[in-house]
Amino acid sequence: MAKLVKGMVYLPLILLAALICFPIFFAISGVVMSNWELKEYLGPVLGGMDGMASWSLFPKSPTLQSLIEVLMDSPQFFVMFWNSIKISLCILAGQTLFGVPAAWGLARFSFPGRNAVLTLYIVLMLMPFQVLMLPQYLVLNGAGLLDTHWAVILPAVFSTFPVFIMYRFFSSIPEEILEAARIDGAGSLRIFLHVGIPLGAAGIVSSGILGFLESWNMIEQPMTFLKTKSLWPLSLFLPEIGLADVGVGFAAAILMLVPALLIFLSGQEYLEQGIAAAALKG
Amino acid sequence: MMVRKAIKRETGFAGSGSAGRQIRQQKQQKSKKWKKSLAGIGFLLPGLAGVVYFTLLPYLEVIRRSFQSAVTSEWVGLKNYQEVFGNTAFRMAAWNTIRFTAICIPLLVCLSLVLAVVLQKLKFAKNFLKSSFLIPVAIPAASVVLVWKVLFHSNGLLNVVIQWFGGEGISWMNSNYAFLVLVISYLWKNLGYDMVLWMAGLSGISTEIYEAAHVDGAGEWSCFFKITLPNLKPSLYTISVLSFLNSFKVFREAWLVAGDYPNPSMYLLQHLYNNWFRDLSFDKIAATAVINGAVVFVLILLLRKAWDSNV
C-alpha cells in the first residue's frame, strides 16, 4: 500500500514533465509534417478555415521537405544562422579572455576597492537589459559601432554574470594549494595559468554554457542595436516568418533549437553547477 | 620614524641590531603584499575597464541626461520625471510589471521548492525528470513562438482542451487573459531553473539532522517545517533575486507572440522602452532607466536586509 502511494507521486510529475517538454515534441512533429497536413491541422489558426486547430504528434506521412527547403533554397537562413554562430562564439571568446582573469583577480587577491568592485558587478548583473539599453546605445553610437556585430558582441563580452559565476568557483579552491605553488616559486601568472585555470575549469565551462545559451537566445540587444536585416541573428529572423510559411517556420525553429539542445544535453551537469553556483551563500 | 628615533636612542646606531632587521623584514613583507594586490588589480583591470566603459560611465551619463532636455540639452530639473510619471502608458506598464512580479515570483519560488523537495526524495527516474524540467532553460524563445501562437490562438489547441473539458474558449491574446500567457511563459521557462537552485540548497543540509529527528520520532511534515525550511532560508534570498532578474526576460516571449503593441494587460515596461526608443524620446527613457535602476537596486538591498536580520 505504501509502495503504491509512493508510486502515485510519479503520475503528476511525469504529466508535468510531458507538459513542459510539449513544445519540443510539437516542433519536432511539425518539422517532419508535410505542408498539406500542417495546413489541415493548423488551418483555423493560420486563417481561412473555420473550426478549431488540431494536432498529431505522429504525422501521417513523415517527410523532410520543409527542412530541405530551408537548407537548400533559402540563402537568407544561412546568413542569419552564421550571424548567430559568429555572435555567440565571439561573445564566448571575449568573456573567457576578459572574464576569467577578472574573476581570478576578484577571488584570490585582496586589494583596496575589491569589495566595491564586487558589489558593482553583482548590481550590474542584476540590472535588466532595458535599464542598460540607453547607456549602451550612447557608447556604441559614440564609438561608431551601431549596426555592426560589435554592437551586440562587446557589451555582452563585459557582462558581469559570467564573472560572478567563475568568481564563485575560483573562491572555492583551497588556499593551501596556491600557497604550495607559491613556495615552489611560481609567480602570480603561472599560478593562474597552471593551478587556477585547471582547478576552476568546471566554473569556466559552466559559465560558458550559460553564456552560450544566453547569447544564442539574445533578442532585445540585436533588435535595438542592429538595423540592417542581413546582420540579424536567427532569433530575430524566426518571428518574421509568417504563419503562411509554417513549414519553413518549423524547420528554422528546429535548426535553431538543435545547437542549444545539444549543448544542454552534453553539458547539463556543468549547467546545473553553474546555476547552483549563484545559489549558495558566500 | 618614532621607532627609529627610539632605536637610535637606545643603541646609538640606526638600522642595526635585531630591531632594525625586523623593520627591514616588515618593509619587505609590505612590498610583497603590495605586489600581490597589484597583481590582483592587473588581473581584474582589463575586464573592469570594459565594464566601466560600456556600462558604468554611460549609466552616469544617462543619469545626467535624465535632468536635461533631449533636444537642447538644457537643464530642466525634474521635468522629465514629472512627464514620465504623468504618462498613462508608463503608469500602465509600471503597474503591469509590478503586478506581474508580485504574482509570479512567490508562485514560482513556492512551486519550484515543492518540486525540488519531491524530486530530492525520488529514487527512480530522478535525473530524467530533472532534465525534463530544466530543458526550457536551453530552448530559445524564438524557437517556440510558433508553438505559443498555435497554443494561445482563439482557435488554438489550449481552447480545444478547454472545450473538451466543457469550458468555453478564451480569447487569450485579445483580453485580460493575455496576462496569464505571460505568467505561463514565465513559469514554464523558470520552474526547472529555480528547482535546481533549491536542490543546491537542499543538498547542503546534512542528512544527520534528519536521522536524529527521525530517531526522535519526527514525521515527514515536521521535518520539512522544522529542519528543511529554516535551513533553506539562506537560499531564499538569492533565489528571489534571480527570479526577479529573470522576470524581466519574459518580455521576449511576450514580444515574440504579440508584437510591439500587445493587449494592454501584458504591456510591460520593456514594451514602453522599445516604443519610446523608436520615437527617440531619449529624455523619457533616461528618466525611466534611472527610476527602474533605482527600484531594482533598492529592492535588492531591502531583500538582503530582510534576509540578514532573519538569519
Side-chain angles (χ1 to χ4, degrees), chain B residues 92-93 96-97 99-100 148 152 172-183 185 250-272:
Chain B
M92 180 172 78
N96 281 338
T97 307
R99 187 169 62 135
F100 176 73
W148 256 227
F152 293 113
W172 290 96
M173 301 311 302
N174 303 312
S175 69
N176 285 338
Y177 282 102
F179 185 75
L180 209 61
V181 176
L182 277 188
V183 178
S185 304
V250 80
F251 165 73
R252 287 180 186 162
E253 275 88 6
W255 179 76
L256 287 169
V257 179
D260 288 321
Y261 295 97
N263 182 271
S265 71
M266 72 190 300
Y267 191 82
L268 299 169
L269 275 175
Q270 290 88 319
H271 291 97
L272 185 71

mmCIF file of all heavy atoms in Angstrom, chain B residues 92-93 96-97 99-100 148 152 172-183 185 250-272:
data_model
loop_
_atom_site.group_PDB
_atom_site.id
_atom_site.type_symbol
_atom_site.label_atom_id
_atom_site.label_comp_id
_atom_site.label_asym_id
_atom_site.label_seq_id
_atom_site.Cartn_x
_atom_site.Cartn_y
_atom_site.Cartn_z
ATOM 1 N N MET B 92 0.556 52.415 -16.856
ATOM 2 C CA MET B 92 0.020 51.095 -17.172
ATOM 3 C C MET B 92 1.146 50.057 -17.163
ATOM 4 O O MET B 92 1.023 48.989 -16.559
ATOM 5 C CB MET B 92 -0.628 51.158 -18.550
ATOM 6 C CG MET B 92 -1.232 49.868 -19.008
ATOM 7 S SD MET B 92 -2.172 50.130 -20.523
ATOM 8 C CE MET B 92 -0.871 50.198 -21.720
ATOM 9 N N ALA B 93 2.265 50.399 -17.832
ATOM 10 C CA ALA B 93 3.369 49.448 -17.938
ATOM 11 C C ALA B 93 3.964 49.149 -16.574
ATOM 12 O O ALA B 93 4.253 47.998 -16.244
ATOM 13 C CB ALA B 93 4.436 49.995 -18.877
ATOM 14 N N ASN B 96 1.563 46.947 -14.619
ATOM 15 C CA ASN B 96 1.604 45.562 -15.102
ATOM 16 C C ASN B 96 2.874 44.852 -14.651
ATOM 17 O O ASN B 96 2.844 43.683 -14.282
ATOM 18 C CB ASN B 96 1.529 45.515 -16.624
ATOM 19 C CG ASN B 96 0.116 45.691 -17.119
ATOM 20 O OD1 ASN B 96 -0.834 45.442 -16.387
ATOM 21 N ND2 ASN B 96 -0.026 46.143 -18.350
ATOM 22 N N THR B 97 3.995 45.566 -14.716
ATOM 23 C CA THR B 97 5.265 44.951 -14.331
ATOM 24 C C THR B 97 5.256 44.612 -12.850
ATOM 25 O O THR B 97 5.666 43.518 -12.453
ATOM 26 C CB THR B 97 6.430 45.906 -14.656
ATOM 27 O OG1 THR B 97 6.309 46.295 -16.028
ATOM 28 C CG2 THR B 97 7.764 45.225 -14.459
ATOM 29 N N ARG B 99 2.577 44.147 -10.947
ATOM 30 C CA ARG B 99 1.598 43.090 -10.729
ATOM 31 C C ARG B 99 2.190 41.745 -11.144
ATOM 32 O O ARG B 99 2.078 40.750 -10.429
ATOM 33 C CB ARG B 99 0.346 43.392 -11.562
ATOM 34 C CG ARG B 99 -0.815 42.461 -11.300
ATOM 35 C CD ARG B 99 -2.069 42.998 -11.967
ATOM 36 N NE ARG B 99 -1.906 43.066 -13.418
ATOM 37 C CZ ARG B 99 -2.846 42.654 -14.287
ATOM 38 N NH1 ARG B 99 -3.967 42.163 -13.859
ATOM 39 N NH2 ARG B 99 -2.643 42.756 -15.582
ATOM 40 N N PHE B 100 2.862 41.752 -12.282
ATOM 41 C CA PHE B 100 3.461 40.516 -12.777
ATOM 42 C C PHE B 100 4.486 39.962 -11.789
ATOM 43 O O PHE B 100 4.457 38.779 -11.435
ATOM 44 C CB PHE B 100 4.107 40.762 -14.140
ATOM 45 C CG PHE B 100 4.835 39.571 -14.676
ATOM 46 C CD1 PHE B 100 4.131 38.488 -15.152
ATOM 47 C CD2 PHE B 100 6.219 39.520 -14.670
ATOM 48 C CE1 PHE B 100 4.788 37.372 -15.627
ATOM 49 C CE2 PHE B 100 6.884 38.417 -15.144
ATOM 50 C CZ PHE B 100 6.163 37.339 -15.618
ATOM 51 N N TRP B 148 3.702 28.726 -29.223
ATOM 52 C CA TRP B 148 2.903 29.659 -28.416
ATOM 53 C C TRP B 148 1.723 30.187 -29.227
ATOM 54 O O TRP B 148 0.615 30.288 -28.734
ATOM 55 C CB TRP B 148 3.797 30.814 -27.951
ATOM 56 C CG TRP B 148 4.211 30.756 -26.513
ATOM 57 C CD1 TRP B 148 4.159 31.785 -25.626
ATOM 58 C CD2 TRP B 148 4.757 29.640 -25.789
ATOM 59 N NE1 TRP B 148 4.625 31.364 -24.402
ATOM 60 C CE2 TRP B 148 4.992 30.063 -24.463
ATOM 61 C CE3 TRP B 148 5.044 28.319 -26.120
ATOM 62 C CZ2 TRP B 148 5.504 29.215 -23.481
ATOM 63 C CZ3 TRP B 148 5.561 27.480 -25.155
ATOM 64 C CH2 TRP B 148 5.781 27.927 -23.867
ATOM 65 N N PHE B 152 -2.076 29.509 -28.047
ATOM 66 C CA PHE B 152 -2.876 30.572 -27.446
ATOM 67 C C PHE B 152 -3.809 31.290 -28.428
ATOM 68 O O PHE B 152 -4.446 32.260 -28.068
ATOM 69 C CB PHE B 152 -1.964 31.603 -26.766
ATOM 70 C CG PHE B 152 -1.238 31.041 -25.573
ATOM 71 C CD1 PHE B 152 0.136 30.869 -25.583
ATOM 72 C CD2 PHE B 152 -1.939 30.664 -24.440
ATOM 73 C CE1 PHE B 152 0.799 30.347 -24.487
ATOM 74 C CE2 PHE B 152 -1.289 30.139 -23.339
ATOM 75 C CZ PHE B 152 0.080 29.975 -23.360
ATOM 76 N N TRP B 172 -7.342 34.424 -25.799
ATOM 77 C CA TRP B 172 -6.154 34.607 -24.975
ATOM 78 C C TRP B 172 -5.418 35.910 -25.229
ATOM 79 O O TRP B 172 -5.068 36.630 -24.309
ATOM 80 C CB TRP B 172 -5.168 33.453 -25.190
ATOM 81 C CG TRP B 172 -5.650 32.176 -24.628
ATOM 82 C CD1 TRP B 172 -6.310 31.184 -25.293
ATOM 83 C CD2 TRP B 172 -5.549 31.739 -23.269
ATOM 84 N NE1 TRP B 172 -6.623 30.165 -24.436
ATOM 85 C CE2 TRP B 172 -6.168 30.471 -23.195
ATOM 86 C CE3 TRP B 172 -5.002 32.301 -22.120
ATOM 87 C CZ2 TRP B 172 -6.242 29.755 -22.016
ATOM 88 C CZ3 TRP B 172 -5.066 31.583 -20.936
ATOM 89 C CH2 TRP B 172 -5.690 30.328 -20.883
ATOM 90 N N MET B 173 -5.155 36.179 -26.504
ATOM 91 C CA MET B 173 -4.265 37.299 -26.799
ATOM 92 C C MET B 173 -4.978 38.647 -26.780
ATOM 93 O O MET B 173 -4.345 39.676 -26.704
ATOM 94 C CB MET B 173 -3.576 37.107 -28.153
ATOM 95 C CG MET B 173 -2.743 35.845 -28.261
ATOM 96 S SD MET B 173 -1.605 35.568 -26.895
ATOM 97 C CE MET B 173 -0.638 37.048 -26.948
ATOM 98 N N ASN B 174 -6.307 38.645 -26.893
ATOM 99 C CA ASN B 174 -7.008 39.924 -27.025
ATOM 100 C C ASN B 174 -7.889 40.243 -25.834
ATOM 101 O O ASN B 174 -8.877 40.947 -25.949
ATOM 102 C CB ASN B 174 -7.865 39.920 -28.300
ATOM 103 C CG ASN B 174 -7.017 39.639 -29.505
ATOM 104 O OD1 ASN B 174 -5.964 40.243 -29.664
ATOM 105 N ND2 ASN B 174 -7.444 38.695 -30.327
ATOM 106 N N SER B 175 -7.553 39.703 -24.685
ATOM 107 C CA SER B 175 -8.339 40.029 -23.498
ATOM 108 C C SER B 175 -7.378 40.091 -22.322
ATOM 109 O O SER B 175 -6.168 39.972 -22.484
ATOM 110 C CB SER B 175 -9.392 38.952 -23.249
ATOM 111 O OG SER B 175 -8.743 37.759 -22.846
ATOM 112 N N ASN B 176 -7.943 40.256 -21.142
ATOM 113 C CA ASN B 176 -7.089 40.304 -19.956
ATOM 114 C C ASN B 176 -6.362 38.988 -19.711
ATOM 115 O O ASN B 176 -5.420 38.930 -18.942
ATOM 116 C CB ASN B 176 -7.920 40.658 -18.725
ATOM 117 C CG ASN B 176 -8.283 42.133 -18.723
ATOM 118 O OD1 ASN B 176 -7.597 42.936 -19.371
ATOM 119 N ND2 ASN B 176 -9.352 42.483 -18.049
ATOM 120 N N TYR B 177 -6.815 37.927 -20.388
ATOM 121 C CA TYR B 177 -6.134 36.645 -20.218
ATOM 122 C C TYR B 177 -4.717 36.682 -20.784
ATOM 123 O O TYR B 177 -3.912 35.798 -20.508
ATOM 124 C CB TYR B 177 -6.932 35.529 -20.890
ATOM 125 C CG TYR B 177 -8.107 35.089 -20.067
ATOM 126 C CD1 TYR B 177 -9.393 35.511 -20.372
ATOM 127 C CD2 TYR B 177 -7.923 34.259 -18.972
ATOM 128 C CE1 TYR B 177 -10.473 35.122 -19.610
ATOM 129 C CE2 TYR B 177 -9.000 33.859 -18.203
ATOM 130 C CZ TYR B 177 -10.274 34.291 -18.525
ATOM 131 O OH TYR B 177 -11.335 33.905 -17.743
ATOM 132 N N ALA B 178 -4.410 37.708 -21.591
ATOM 133 C CA ALA B 178 -3.053 37.831 -22.131
ATOM 134 C C ALA B 178 -2.034 37.862 -20.990
ATOM 135 O O ALA B 178 -0.924 37.356 -21.120
ATOM 136 C CB ALA B 178 -2.936 39.095 -22.980
ATOM 137 N N PHE B 179 -2.453 38.422 -19.868
ATOM 138 C CA PHE B 179 -1.582 38.460 -18.695
ATOM 139 C C PHE B 179 -1.219 37.044 -18.241
ATOM 140 O O PHE B 179 -0.086 36.765 -17.863
ATOM 141 C CB PHE B 179 -2.286 39.219 -17.556
ATOM 142 C CG PHE B 179 -1.445 39.414 -16.344
ATOM 143 C CD1 PHE B 179 -0.422 40.353 -16.343
ATOM 144 C CD2 PHE B 179 -1.662 38.668 -15.206
ATOM 145 C CE1 PHE B 179 0.360 40.540 -15.223
ATOM 146 C CE2 PHE B 179 -0.881 38.847 -14.083
ATOM 147 C CZ PHE B 179 0.135 39.783 -14.096
ATOM 148 N N LEU B 180 -2.203 36.161 -18.356
ATOM 149 C CA LEU B 180 -1.990 34.771 -17.967
ATOM 150 C C LEU B 180 -0.965 34.102 -18.883
ATOM 151 O O LEU B 180 -0.200 33.232 -18.459
ATOM 152 C CB LEU B 180 -3.316 34.022 -18.015
ATOM 153 C CG LEU B 180 -3.456 32.848 -17.060
ATOM 154 C CD1 LEU B 180 -3.325 33.284 -15.626
ATOM 155 C CD2 LEU B 180 -4.796 32.161 -17.276
ATOM 156 N N VAL B 181 -0.958 34.517 -20.157
ATOM 157 C CA VAL B 181 0.021 33.982 -21.100
ATOM 158 C C VAL B 181 1.429 34.315 -20.608
ATOM 159 O O VAL B 181 2.334 33.481 -20.644
ATOM 160 C CB VAL B 181 -0.208 34.563 -22.511
ATOM 161 C CG1 VAL B 181 0.872 34.083 -23.470
ATOM 162 C CG2 VAL B 181 -1.581 34.182 -23.023
ATOM 163 N N LEU B 182 1.585 35.543 -20.111
ATOM 164 C CA LEU B 182 2.877 35.941 -19.535
ATOM 165 C C LEU B 182 3.243 35.039 -18.368
ATOM 166 O O LEU B 182 4.364 34.546 -18.268
ATOM 167 C CB LEU B 182 2.789 37.372 -18.983
ATOM 168 C CG LEU B 182 2.955 38.563 -19.894
ATOM 169 C CD1 LEU B 182 3.012 39.819 -19.050
ATOM 170 C CD2 LEU B 182 4.214 38.426 -20.706
ATOM 171 N N VAL B 183 2.276 34.821 -17.469
ATOM 172 C CA VAL B 183 2.536 34.026 -16.268
ATOM 173 C C VAL B 183 2.951 32.609 -16.659
ATOM 174 O O VAL B 183 3.933 32.070 -16.152
ATOM 175 C CB VAL B 183 1.285 33.986 -15.359
ATOM 176 C CG1 VAL B 183 1.534 33.121 -14.142
ATOM 177 C CG2 VAL B 183 0.908 35.393 -14.928
ATOM 178 N N SER B 185 4.227 31.554 -19.522
ATOM 179 C CA SER B 185 5.544 31.554 -20.176
ATOM 180 C C SER B 185 6.659 31.618 -19.143
ATOM 181 O O SER B 185 7.655 30.901 -19.232
ATOM 182 C CB SER B 185 5.705 32.772 -21.094
ATOM 183 O OG SER B 185 4.689 32.825 -22.024
ATOM 184 N N VAL B 250 10.823 37.766 -19.528
ATOM 185 C CA VAL B 250 9.587 37.239 -20.080
ATOM 186 C C VAL B 250 9.103 38.125 -21.227
ATOM 187 O O VAL B 250 8.292 37.724 -22.048
ATOM 188 C CB VAL B 250 8.502 37.124 -18.985
ATOM 189 C CG1 VAL B 250 7.848 38.443 -18.718
ATOM 190 C CG2 VAL B 250 7.475 36.088 -19.364
ATOM 191 N N PHE B 251 9.681 39.320 -21.290
ATOM 192 C CA PHE B 251 9.350 40.222 -22.388
ATOM 193 C C PHE B 251 9.578 39.551 -23.743
ATOM 194 O O PHE B 251 8.846 39.787 -24.697
ATOM 195 C CB PHE B 251 10.197 41.495 -22.289
ATOM 196 C CG PHE B 251 10.194 42.311 -23.544
ATOM 197 C CD1 PHE B 251 9.074 43.038 -23.896
ATOM 198 C CD2 PHE B 251 11.300 42.336 -24.377
ATOM 199 C CE1 PHE B 251 9.064 43.785 -25.060
ATOM 200 C CE2 PHE B 251 11.295 43.080 -25.536
ATOM 201 C CZ PHE B 251 10.175 43.805 -25.883
ATOM 202 N N ARG B 252 10.614 38.711 -23.814
ATOM 203 C CA ARG B 252 10.914 38.055 -25.089
ATOM 204 C C ARG B 252 9.709 37.303 -25.619
ATOM 205 O O ARG B 252 9.282 37.509 -26.752
ATOM 206 C CB ARG B 252 12.063 37.073 -24.905
ATOM 207 C CG ARG B 252 13.354 37.767 -24.748
ATOM 208 C CD ARG B 252 14.463 36.769 -24.557
ATOM 209 N NE ARG B 252 15.677 37.503 -24.274
ATOM 210 C CZ ARG B 252 16.750 36.968 -23.729
ATOM 211 N NH1 ARG B 252 16.760 35.691 -23.439
ATOM 212 N NH2 ARG B 252 17.816 37.697 -23.511
ATOM 213 N N GLU B 253 9.178 36.426 -24.787
ATOM 214 C CA GLU B 253 8.029 35.638 -25.219
ATOM 215 C C GLU B 253 6.860 36.564 -25.561
ATOM 216 O O GLU B 253 6.201 36.395 -26.569
ATOM 217 C CB GLU B 253 7.614 34.625 -24.149
ATOM 218 C CG GLU B 253 8.396 33.315 -24.190
ATOM 219 C CD GLU B 253 9.671 33.358 -23.360
ATOM 220 O OE1 GLU B 253 9.876 34.383 -22.666
ATOM 221 O OE2 GLU B 253 10.454 32.385 -23.412
ATOM 222 N N ALA B 254 6.644 37.563 -24.696
ATOM 223 C CA ALA B 254 5.526 38.471 -24.917
ATOM 224 C C ALA B 254 5.668 39.191 -26.250
ATOM 225 O O ALA B 254 4.724 39.276 -27.039
ATOM 226 C CB ALA B 254 5.450 39.493 -23.784
ATOM 227 N N TRP B 255 6.878 39.658 -26.526
ATOM 228 C CA TRP B 255 7.090 40.411 -27.751
ATOM 229 C C TRP B 255 6.984 39.506 -28.974
ATOM 230 O O TRP B 255 6.406 39.866 -30.001
ATOM 231 C CB TRP B 255 8.465 41.095 -27.713
ATOM 232 C CG TRP B 255 8.757 41.861 -28.948
ATOM 233 C CD1 TRP B 255 8.247 43.077 -29.297
ATOM 234 C CD2 TRP B 255 9.616 41.461 -30.021
ATOM 235 N NE1 TRP B 255 8.742 43.459 -30.506
ATOM 236 C CE2 TRP B 255 9.582 42.491 -30.984
ATOM 237 C CE3 TRP B 255 10.414 40.335 -30.257
ATOM 238 C CZ2 TRP B 255 10.317 42.430 -32.167
ATOM 239 C CZ3 TRP B 255 11.141 40.265 -31.424
ATOM 240 C CH2 TRP B 255 11.086 41.299 -32.366
ATOM 241 N N LEU B 256 7.541 38.304 -28.859
ATOM 242 C CA LEU B 256 7.522 37.390 -29.992
ATOM 243 C C LEU B 256 6.100 36.973 -30.338
ATOM 244 O O LEU B 256 5.752 36.826 -31.508
ATOM 245 C CB LEU B 256 8.357 36.144 -29.681
ATOM 246 C CG LEU B 256 9.867 36.383 -29.676
ATOM 247 C CD1 LEU B 256 10.596 35.183 -29.111
ATOM 248 C CD2 LEU B 256 10.357 36.679 -31.080
ATOM 249 N N VAL B 257 5.275 36.807 -29.322
ATOM 250 C CA VAL B 257 3.926 36.342 -29.589
ATOM 251 C C VAL B 257 3.012 37.491 -29.989
ATOM 252 O O VAL B 257 2.199 37.370 -30.892
ATOM 253 C CB VAL B 257 3.348 35.618 -28.349
ATOM 254 C CG1 VAL B 257 1.932 35.165 -28.622
ATOM 255 C CG2 VAL B 257 4.206 34.438 -27.998
ATOM 256 N N ALA B 258 3.179 38.635 -29.338
ATOM 257 C CA ALA B 258 2.173 39.677 -29.505
ATOM 258 C C ALA B 258 2.692 40.978 -30.126
ATOM 259 O O ALA B 258 1.908 41.883 -30.382
ATOM 260 C CB ALA B 258 1.526 39.979 -28.151
ATOM 261 N N GLY B 259 3.988 41.084 -30.372
ATOM 262 C CA GLY B 259 4.486 42.272 -31.059
ATOM 263 C C GLY B 259 4.631 43.489 -30.160
ATOM 264 O O GLY B 259 4.617 43.383 -28.942
ATOM 265 N N ASP B 260 4.785 44.664 -30.805
ATOM 266 C CA ASP B 260 5.099 45.886 -30.071
ATOM 267 C C ASP B 260 3.930 46.427 -29.246
ATOM 268 O O ASP B 260 4.126 47.071 -28.232
ATOM 269 C CB ASP B 260 5.546 46.979 -31.050
ATOM 270 C CG ASP B 260 6.920 46.684 -31.608
ATOM 271 O OD1 ASP B 260 7.766 46.200 -30.839
ATOM 272 O OD2 ASP B 260 7.142 46.920 -32.805
ATOM 273 N N TYR B 261 2.716 46.219 -29.735
ATOM 274 C CA TYR B 261 1.564 46.740 -29.005
ATOM 275 C C TYR B 261 0.596 45.609 -28.685
ATOM 276 O O TYR B 261 -0.396 45.413 -29.374
ATOM 277 C CB TYR B 261 0.868 47.839 -29.816
ATOM 278 C CG TYR B 261 1.754 49.046 -30.008
ATOM 279 C CD1 TYR B 261 2.490 49.215 -31.188
ATOM 280 C CD2 TYR B 261 1.876 49.997 -29.003
ATOM 281 C CE1 TYR B 261 3.332 50.304 -31.354
ATOM 282 C CE2 TYR B 261 2.709 51.086 -29.156
ATOM 283 C CZ TYR B 261 3.437 51.240 -30.335
ATOM 284 O OH TYR B 261 4.264 52.317 -30.485
ATOM 285 N N PRO B 262 0.884 44.843 -27.635
ATOM 286 C CA PRO B 262 0.014 43.724 -27.290
ATOM 287 C C PRO B 262 -1.203 44.218 -26.539
ATOM 288 O O PRO B 262 -1.389 45.423 -26.353
ATOM 289 C CB PRO B 262 0.901 42.899 -26.360
ATOM 290 C CG PRO B 262 1.754 43.910 -25.687
ATOM 291 C CD PRO B 262 1.968 45.018 -26.675
ATOM 292 N N ASN B 263 -2.026 43.278 -26.095
ATOM 293 C CA ASN B 263 -3.141 43.629 -25.238
ATOM 294 C C ASN B 263 -2.625 44.418 -24.022
ATOM 295 O O ASN B 263 -1.583 44.078 -23.471
ATOM 296 C CB ASN B 263 -3.831 42.337 -24.777
ATOM 297 C CG ASN B 263 -5.039 42.621 -23.917
ATOM 298 O OD1 ASN B 263 -4.923 42.736 -22.703
ATOM 299 N ND2 ASN B 263 -6.172 42.754 -24.544
ATOM 300 N N PRO B 264 -3.367 45.473 -23.633
ATOM 301 C CA PRO B 264 -2.886 46.319 -22.523
ATOM 302 C C PRO B 264 -2.514 45.543 -21.269
ATOM 303 O O PRO B 264 -1.627 45.965 -20.525
ATOM 304 C CB PRO B 264 -4.086 47.225 -22.238
ATOM 305 C CG PRO B 264 -4.841 47.266 -23.502
ATOM 306 C CD PRO B 264 -4.602 45.968 -24.217
ATOM 307 N N SER B 265 -3.152 44.397 -21.047
ATOM 308 C CA SER B 265 -2.872 43.682 -19.796
ATOM 309 C C SER B 265 -1.473 43.064 -19.788
ATOM 310 O O SER B 265 -0.975 42.683 -18.743
ATOM 311 C CB SER B 265 -3.910 42.593 -19.555
ATOM 312 O OG SER B 265 -3.730 41.544 -20.473
ATOM 313 N N MET B 266 -0.833 42.931 -20.928
ATOM 314 C CA MET B 266 0.528 42.401 -20.938
ATOM 315 C C MET B 266 1.544 43.430 -21.430
ATOM 316 O O MET B 266 2.662 43.093 -21.805
ATOM 317 C CB MET B 266 0.623 41.078 -21.726
ATOM 318 C CG MET B 266 0.504 41.210 -23.213
ATOM 319 S SD MET B 266 0.323 39.629 -24.105
ATOM 320 C CE MET B 266 1.793 38.749 -23.693
ATOM 321 N N TYR B 267 1.154 44.690 -21.414
ATOM 322 C CA TYR B 267 2.072 45.750 -21.834
ATOM 323 C C TYR B 267 3.032 46.054 -20.691
ATOM 324 O O TYR B 267 2.642 46.595 -19.659
ATOM 325 C CB TYR B 267 1.266 46.994 -22.202
ATOM 326 C CG TYR B 267 2.057 48.073 -22.895
ATOM 327 C CD1 TYR B 267 2.310 48.003 -24.261
ATOM 328 C CD2 TYR B 267 2.537 49.178 -22.202
ATOM 329 C CE1 TYR B 267 3.032 48.989 -24.913
ATOM 330 C CE2 TYR B 267 3.259 50.169 -22.830
ATOM 331 C CZ TYR B 267 3.496 50.067 -24.185
ATOM 332 O OH TYR B 267 4.219 51.048 -24.821
ATOM 333 N N LEU B 268 4.301 45.669 -20.863
ATOM 334 C CA LEU B 268 5.283 45.799 -19.783
ATOM 335 C C LEU B 268 6.184 47.006 -19.997
ATOM 336 O O LEU B 268 6.191 47.609 -21.066
ATOM 337 C CB LEU B 268 6.142 44.543 -19.710
ATOM 338 C CG LEU B 268 5.414 43.238 -19.414
ATOM 339 C CD1 LEU B 268 6.334 42.063 -19.634
ATOM 340 C CD2 LEU B 268 4.871 43.249 -17.999
ATOM 341 N N LEU B 269 6.960 47.334 -18.983
ATOM 342 C CA LEU B 269 7.921 48.444 -19.099
ATOM 343 C C LEU B 269 8.831 48.259 -20.308
ATOM 344 O O LEU B 269 9.215 49.221 -20.953
ATOM 345 C CB LEU B 269 8.767 48.522 -17.838
ATOM 346 C CG LEU B 269 8.167 49.312 -16.678
ATOM 347 C CD1 LEU B 269 9.049 49.207 -15.457
ATOM 348 C CD2 LEU B 269 7.973 50.772 -17.067
ATOM 349 N N GLN B 270 9.163 46.995 -20.600
ATOM 350 C CA GLN B 270 10.065 46.741 -21.716
ATOM 351 C C GLN B 270 9.457 47.152 -23.049
ATOM 352 O O GLN B 270 10.160 47.635 -23.930
ATOM 353 C CB GLN B 270 10.448 45.265 -21.760
ATOM 354 C CG GLN B 270 11.359 44.851 -20.634
ATOM 355 C CD GLN B 270 10.589 44.421 -19.405
ATOM 356 O OE1 GLN B 270 9.592 45.043 -19.041
ATOM 357 N NE2 GLN B 270 11.045 43.382 -18.753
ATOM 358 N N HIS B 271 8.140 46.936 -23.208
ATOM 359 C CA HIS B 271 7.476 47.411 -24.428
ATOM 360 C C HIS B 271 7.612 48.923 -24.528
ATOM 361 O O HIS B 271 7.902 49.478 -25.584
ATOM 362 C CB HIS B 271 5.985 47.066 -24.405
ATOM 363 C CG HIS B 271 5.696 45.606 -24.533
ATOM 364 N ND1 HIS B 271 5.453 44.811 -23.458
ATOM 365 C CD2 HIS B 271 5.611 44.804 -25.622
ATOM 366 C CE1 HIS B 271 5.218 43.570 -23.871
ATOM 367 N NE2 HIS B 271 5.323 43.533 -25.178
ATOM 368 N N LEU B 272 7.394 49.569 -23.388
ATOM 369 C CA LEU B 272 7.430 51.033 -23.350
ATOM 370 C C LEU B 272 8.811 51.540 -23.761
ATOM 371 O O LEU B 272 8.927 52.443 -24.593
ATOM 372 C CB LEU B 272 7.092 51.483 -21.929
ATOM 373 C CG LEU B 272 6.962 52.976 -21.727
ATOM 374 C CD1 LEU B 272 5.690 53.458 -22.401
ATOM 375 C CD2 LEU B 272 6.911 53.308 -20.250
#
